[in-house]
Amino acid sequence: MGSIIIIAPPAAGKGTQSKLLSSKYNISHVSTGDLLRNEIKNGTELGIQIEGIIKSGKLVSDEIILSSLKTKIKQLKNYILDGFPRNINQAIKYDQLLTETNQQIDYVFYIFLDKEISKKRIISRISCNNCGRVYNTEIEESKPKIENICDNCNHNLIKREDDNEESFEKRYDIYIKETQPLIDYYKEKNKLYEIDGNLDKKEIFGKICSIIGDEIDNS
Ligand code: ADP
């Protein structure tokens, strides 16, 4: 029994690959960004507290993220973690949680992408507020069939409040300073696989699947 972690800069395809993996291997997709955005959408106390932080591109506190995540993953057997851990402290706390719950990490995929490409993708990204599907108005195969309407659920597409140039700079900066050190952390544990995020999404998915193989060990 194990889990998969995906580490990547903004817009490298964490969410997209997680959704594809979740449906191929029939395992849960846990996105900390989605967990937090749902709190905001539902107007919860936590949502009100974190709205400004997310909009500005900063990270919410490790305490908040760990307590939301703990509740979620305790109910699951194995899962894909998208957006967590985002710094060394979160990784250490997560290792403690894995020991407590007798779980383990099987694969950590690091999808690398240049800053300029990451920025371009963020600026032209739109997403569905209802089902979470992501589109890109500058990439032909990622455009919605009908302008501003979700192919999946027919809801209107929106621009995420943190998908603007100013928040992007902050997010990228934090990514380099806080998240990238995780690459060495997982390399030392022999769990890390590096994937080129410049490839198209099907090629990236193919590479990930060739590493995992036909099935995830559910025993
Ligand atoms: P992206 O992959 O596009 O950077 P996410 O959807 O993963 O965006 O996260 C959006 C925002 O949610 C982050 O910028 C941050 O404010 C918050 N967030 C998500 N995951 C974490 C985390 N593990 N720790 C702290 N903040 C987080």
Side-chain angles (χ1 to χ4, degrees):
M1 177 168 81
S3 62
I4 298 172
I5 291 176
I6 304 194
I7 300 173
K14 284 195 308 275
T16 304
Q17 297 302 325
S18 299
K19 286 193 182 79
L20 292 169
L21 286 168
S22 160
S23 94
K24 177 173 163 100
Y25 293 105
N26 199 19
I27 52 176
S28 302
H29 170 202
V30 180
S31 155
T32 45
D34 286 348
L35 285 178
L36 299 174
R37 280 187 290 277
N38 271 335
E39 297 285 341
I40 298 173
K41 192 166 128 190
N42 297 332
T44 64
E45 207 175 304
L46 175 61
I48 294 163
Q49 194 188 334
I50 62 179
E51 188 167 10
I53 303 173
I54 293 202
K55 195 172 165 183
S56 72
K58 291 189 200 137
L59 294 183
V60 307
S61 75
D62 293 349
E63 288 68 33
I64 289 179
I65 206 78
L66 280 153
S67 79
S68 319
L69 195 72
K70 220 174 192 170
T71 323
K72 180 88 195 166
I73 62 178
K74 275 194 169 158
Q75 309 153 2
L76 301 172
K77 262 191 138 190
N78 49 23
Y79 46 83
I80 304 154
L81 269 182
D82 157 9
F84 179 93
R86 248 180 164 92
N87 60 34
I88 296 283
N89 182 46
Q90 290 182 6
I92 292 170
K93 292 277 160 50
Y94 180 54
D95 279 344
Q96 289 165 358
L97 184 63
L98 288 173
T99 311
E100 276 167 34
T101 51
N102 204 19
Q103 294 183 351
Q104 66 176 42
I105 301 163
D106 281 341
Y107 306 95
V108 179
F109 292 106
Y110 164 44
I111 308 177
F112 56 90
L113 187 70
D114 290 343
K115 181 175 178 186
E116 278 317 302
I117 300 178
S118 168
K119 183 169 170 176
K120 265 196 197 144
R121 289 191 190 171
I122 285 289
I123 307 293
S124 50
R125 174 160 88 173
I126 46 176
S127 53
C128 178
N129 203 14
N130 184 49
C131 73
R133 182 155 168 190
V134 171
Y135 299 85
N136 193 298
T137 54
E138 295 299 317
I139 302 171
E140 206 45 51
E141 77 256 25
S142 302
K143 287 182 181 171
K145 291 198 178 82
I146 304 169
E147 203 179 330
N148 276 322
I149 302 290
C150 180
D151 295 356
N152 272 355
C153 66
N154 287 330
H155 275 73
N156 281 331
L157 300 176
I158 53 144
K159 182 136 199 73
R160 259 170 56 177
E161 288 203 282
D162 57 347
D163 279 352
N164 59 65
E165 204 166 334
E166 199 187 335
S167 300
F168 169 81
E169 291 295 338
K170 184 86 211 158
R171 278 153 72 194
Y172 201 87
D173 203 39
I174 292 176
Y175 170 76
I176 297 292
K177 288 197 190 114
E178 300 199 30
T179 310
Q180 252 191 358
L182 293 173
I183 308 304
D184 283 340
Y185 183 85
Y186 288 116
K187 228 180 227 170
E188 278 163 25
K189 292 180 184 285
N190 286 325
K191 301 277 184 194
L192 195 85
Y193 298 86
E194 304 191 27
I195 312 274
D196 185 354
N198 295 290
L199 299 171
D200 79 31
K201 59 184 174 198
K202 284 197 189 121
E203 288 176 294
I204 297 180
F205 188 54
K207 288 199 182 292
I208 294 178
C209 293
S210 70
I211 293 164
I212 297 177
D214 289 336
E215 50 193 89
I216 298 264
D217 181 10
N218 274 314
S219 56

